[in-house]
Amino acid sequence: MEKVFNYLRELGYINVKTSYYSYIDKWMKIWKGKADWLVLKTIDDKNFPLYSLDMGKQVCEDFASIIDSEPYDIKAKKDDKILQKLLKDAKVLEKLSDNLEMMACTGTIGTVTRIKNATLKKVNDDYIIIKNNKTKIKTVDVTAKQLIPLTIEDNEIINCAIVSTHIKKINNELLKVYYLEIHELKEKGYQITNKYFIQGKDIEYKPNGVLETYNTLSDVPLFNICKMKKVNSIEENNGLGISIYGNAIDQLTITDLVYNNFGTDFKLGQKLLIINKKLTRVEQEDYKAEDGSIKVRDKVIYPSEIRKQQFMEVGDSLTSTDQEKPYIHEYNPDLRVGDNKEGVQFALDNLSFKCGFGTRYYSFENGVVNTATEAILSNQDLVNNARKNRKNVNNYLIGICRSLLLCEKMLGNSYIDENQEIYIKDVDGFLEDDESKIKKAQQEYSQGSMSLYTYLTKYKGMTDEEAKEEMKRIKNEDNISFLDELEESKEVNFEKK
């Protein structure tokens, strides 16, 4: 990979840093359930795994479910029929939920739109793309580790490099090759450069049928990037996003530590026999350390093992000489279920708040973490964060739509305008909190655009029967009020006479 970064620096992109990608590795380990804090070392250098709720994966899944909870109604102003087919063939919406989960994990996702299995024909000093029966327009998802932003203007990535690895057979030898795809906005449009570097060798690899460079003749990029809608506070981030739990590592750690305490209580909650060390014997054993070397450590041999080898006699009652404690006595620990449960819930509340879900998003019941559904739509933090990210995802999808249309244009449909307007309808009431919904309903009712029956059943939670009874009471009260006003009016008229 260093060869790739050196090449980019030679092109003048001297601000490209490599340190940020270690954070992405760390977040990926957490998502995979392999966080560093989940394994402790005992005093005899053995691994001691902790119980884990695996909340890193959970919060990413929940984020994707929230953002992808409502369908996307995408329309193109001019070439909608073509766009719908392109979206379906490229499986853009089908892959979206998985991509959103990865965005929550690593802070960033990317998509590159490519033309596959087309024929290149040289015309004068340029190339044209000729479509055949096997030609397809595909979207290739790329991870945050593959993205190297090169030029950023007003928080928008203008120029970008994308790295991927492949195994190629070169001169009858299987070699690892780094494929570098550079997208740069030039005067005529986006210039795309393809470079291949063989790992461990200071030479380039040039495969047949791949243009080293070409221009799309459009300012619409064939790459699209989406980031978590939150400011990245990590230095040298290369313009990439931060994980949903990037600022909640401590809260994730505490959640697992508290849950481990819960699990350990149950695991060790059985009766414990405390044995005087006079009844044990210590032997030495060899073991293999992490570096592969052979080391020696002490091993305690307990009476159940000793009795197979020898007899031991310690008097009549097996008690110590001072009669304070017997050589063997019982310990029966408390499980502390209530305290541990409260501790896990407290840790989950802190975690959900730090991840933008607000407090009480998760409920810990019967040893399982559930989503507290009654708290979702009354949670203003969750609603605000979800709306911001949904809007961000909409812009990302619009970018992909334009890239698809551009590729279709490059295949010969010159009448297509890749810059045409793309609409994604805002979902009415998407993650609207309860209070806002009720205020909106009250306004619609007062304006006459909603019936009283609908308001009572949908927004006040009344049954059909309860709503009808309430409507009768309201009608009766209105009639009484009308009669009172009529009587007052007669009295006033009489006095005037």
Side-chain angles (χ1 to χ4, degrees):
M1 279 292 287
E2 193 57 37
K3 175 67 177 174
V4 169
F5 283 99
N6 287 337
Y7 178 78
L8 293 172
R9 293 182 187 113
E10 289 172 7
L11 292 179
Y13 299 110
I14 58 176
N15 293 322
V16 173
K17 307 295 182 183
T18 60
S19 60
Y20 188 70
Y21 297 95
S22 63
Y23 288 95
I24 297 173
D25 288 333
K26 181 180 179 180
W27 299 330
M28 283 295 295
K29 284 180 69 177
I30 294 171
W31 179 77
K32 292 177 180 178
K34 298 179 180 179
D36 293 337
W37 66 77
L38 291 176
V39 178
L40 301 178
K41 288 284 186 182
T42 62
I43 56 174
D44 55 356
D45 205 36
K46 290 183 178 179
N47 288 337
F48 181 75
L50 271 63
Y51 293 104
S52 173
L53 281 171
D54 199 15
M55 290 305 298
K57 181 79 164 64
Q58 185 69 49
V59 294
C60 293
E61 289 179 359
D62 289 339
F63 173 84
S65 296
I66 292 166
I67 304 303
D68 203 36
S69 61
E70 295 289 342
Y72 295 86
D73 186 7
I74 305 173
K75 300 290 182 184
K77 185 175 182 179
K78 300 177 184 177
D79 305 298
D80 186 60
K81 189 174 180 180
I82 293 174
L83 177 61
Q84 298 306 323
K85 185 177 186 307
L86 290 170
L87 286 169
K88 183 179 179 181
D89 291 347
K91 301 179 180 179
V92 173
L93 296 180
E94 187 177 325
K95 299 186 291 183
L96 184 60
S97 183
D98 290 346
N99 289 337
L100 291 177
E101 182 177 340
M102 292 311 302
M103 181 175 80
C105 169
T106 61
T108 313
I109 53 169
T111 299
V112 183
T113 307
R114 292 175 180 155
I115 298 172
K116 294 286 187 180
N117 303 322
T119 305
L120 293 171
K121 184 179 179 180
K122 191 169 185 178
V123 178
N124 298 324
D125 293 331
D126 207 350
Y127 288 88
I128 61 172
I129 302 172
I130 300 175
K131 188 177 182 180
N132 57 61
N133 293 333
K134 294 182 179 179
T135 302
K136 291 182 179 179
I137 299 174
K138 295 186 67 176
T139 55
V140 180
D141 301 323
V142 292
T143 65
K145 283 208 70 175
Q146 295 177 259
L147 293 167
I148 308 175
L150 302 175
T151 306
I152 303 169
E153 295 178 6
D154 196 21
N155 205 34
E156 181 183 357
I157 298 171
I158 305 299
N159 298 335
C160 185
I162 298 157
V163 185
S164 56
T165 57
H166 305 270
I167 301 298
K168 298 284 186 181
K169 192 172 185 179
I170 305 172
N171 297 327
N172 294 321
E173 186 180 1
L174 291 176
L175 298 172
K176 187 176 183 180
V177 176
Y178 293 110
Y179 169 41
L180 176 64
E181 183 179 346
I182 306 172
H183 297 249
E184 298 173 289
L185 184 59
K186 302 290 187 179
E187 186 177 347
K188 291 184 178 180
Y190 266 96
Q191 188 82 17
I192 298 177
T193 304
N194 299 305
K195 288 286 183 179
Y196 295 81
F197 302 98
I198 300 175
Q199 184 187 38
K201 298 186 179 183
D202 195 24
I203 57 173
E204 285 188 36
Y205 166 64
K206 294 185 178 182
N208 295 326
V210 177
L211 284 177
E212 184 172 345
T213 183
Y214 65 94
N215 198 299
T216 64
L217 304 178
S218 173
D219 60 357
V220 168
L222 292 182
F223 71 90
N224 289 279
I225 293 172
C226 193
K227 301 182 290 185
M228 291 293 295
K229 193 63 177 175
K230 58 194 296 188
V231 177
N232 192 342
S233 58
I234 301 173
E235 294 183 1
E236 298 184 345
N237 57 53
N238 286 351
L240 296 174
I242 186 171
S243 169
I244 191 171
Y245 46 75
N247 294 322
I249 303 300
D250 288 345
Q251 285 71 27
L252 278 169
T253 307
I254 291 171
T255 300
D256 282 338
L257 290 175
V258 174
Y259 183 67
N260 179 71
N261 195 64
F262 198 174
T264 303
D265 267 13
F266 278 96
K267 183 177 181 180
L268 303 179
Q270 56 194 356
K271 180 186 293 184
L272 183 66
L273 293 178
I274 300 177
I275 303 173
N276 191 296
K277 66 180 181 179
K278 292 180 181 180
L279 295 181
T280 65
R281 185 176 73 243
V282 178
E283 295 181 353
Q284 289 188 324
E285 67 172 2
D286 295 337
Y287 75 100
K288 192 174 184 178
E290 288 184 357
D291 59 5
S293 61
I294 303 299
K295 296 184 178 181
V296 178
R297 63 186 172 198
D298 291 337
K299 179 182 180 182
V300 179
I301 307 298
Y302 293 97
S304 59
E305 298 171 348
I306 294 175
R307 68 185 181 185
K308 299 175 184 177
Q309 305 168 33
Q310 66 182 46
F311 293 97
M312 178 178 291
E313 193 171 302
V314 196
D316 295 332
S317 61
L318 287 179
T319 57
S320 57
T321 53
D322 57 9
Q323 298 296 313
E324 289 180 357
K325 290 183 180 179
Y327 275 98
I328 302 176
H329 66 278
E330 296 179 359
Y331 171 66
N332 296 289
D334 295 328
L335 290 179
R336 303 177 296 170
V337 175
D339 292 340
N340 279 317
K341 185 179 174 182
E342 288 181 13
V344 174
Q345 185 62 60
F346 178 77
L348 288 171
D349 289 345
N350 277 278
L351 174 64
S352 64
F353 175 75
K354 289 288 285 186
C355 289
F357 293 164
T359 57
R360 306 303 293 183
Y361 180 80
Y362 293 112
S363 174
F364 185 67
E365 294 290 341
N366 302 319
V368 178
V369 177
N370 298 302
T371 302
T373 51
E374 71 279 358
I376 294 178
L377 295 181
S378 61
N379 188 331
Q380 194 64 45
D381 289 333
L382 171 65
V383 170
N384 290 339
N385 283 312
R387 278 183 169 176
K388 287 189 298 183
N389 280 286
R390 172 80 178 210
K391 186 176 180 181
N392 220 28
V393 172
N394 285 353
N395 292 333
Y396 165 67
L397 289 172
I398 289 172
I400 293 176
C401 290
R402 292 198 169 121
S403 297
L404 289 167
L405 290 171
L406 173 58
C407 285
E408 185 68 23
K409 180 180 180 179
M410 291 167 66
L411 286 172
N413 294 330
S414 57
Y415 63 86
I416 289 179
D417 176 14
E418 67 274 18
N419 283 297
Q420 65 186 270
E421 289 187 71
I422 309 292
Y423 306 97
I424 298 184
K425 185 178 179 182
D426 284 334
V427 181
D428 184 34
F430 171 68
L431 281 184
E432 211 169 27
D433 62 280
D434 288 340
E435 186 177 350
S436 298
K437 278 185 176 181
I438 291 172
K439 284 182 179 179
K440 185 178 179 181
Q442 288 173 341
Q443 186 178 13
E444 289 181 5
Y445 170 65
S446 64
Q447 292 173 346
S449 57
M450 179 185 293
S451 69
L452 178 58
Y453 175 81
T454 300
Y455 174 75
L456 293 174
T457 54
K458 190 172 181 179
Y459 296 98
K460 297 295 286 183
M462 292 186 182
T463 63
D464 181 73
E465 207 171 297
E466 290 171 339
K468 288 177 180 178
E469 287 296 321
E470 184 67 17
M471 290 168 69
K472 285 180 182 178
R473 282 193 288 270
I474 293 172
K475 187 177 181 181
N476 290 335
E477 288 176 0
D478 287 344
N479 289 336
I480 293 171
S481 178
F482 173 75
L483 290 173
D484 289 342
E485 290 176 4
L486 188 63
E487 289 298 322
E488 289 176 4
S489 175
K490 287 180 178 178
E491 291 175 5
V492 171
N493 290 336
F494 177 78
E495 288 176 358
K496 282 182 179 179
K497 288 179 181 180

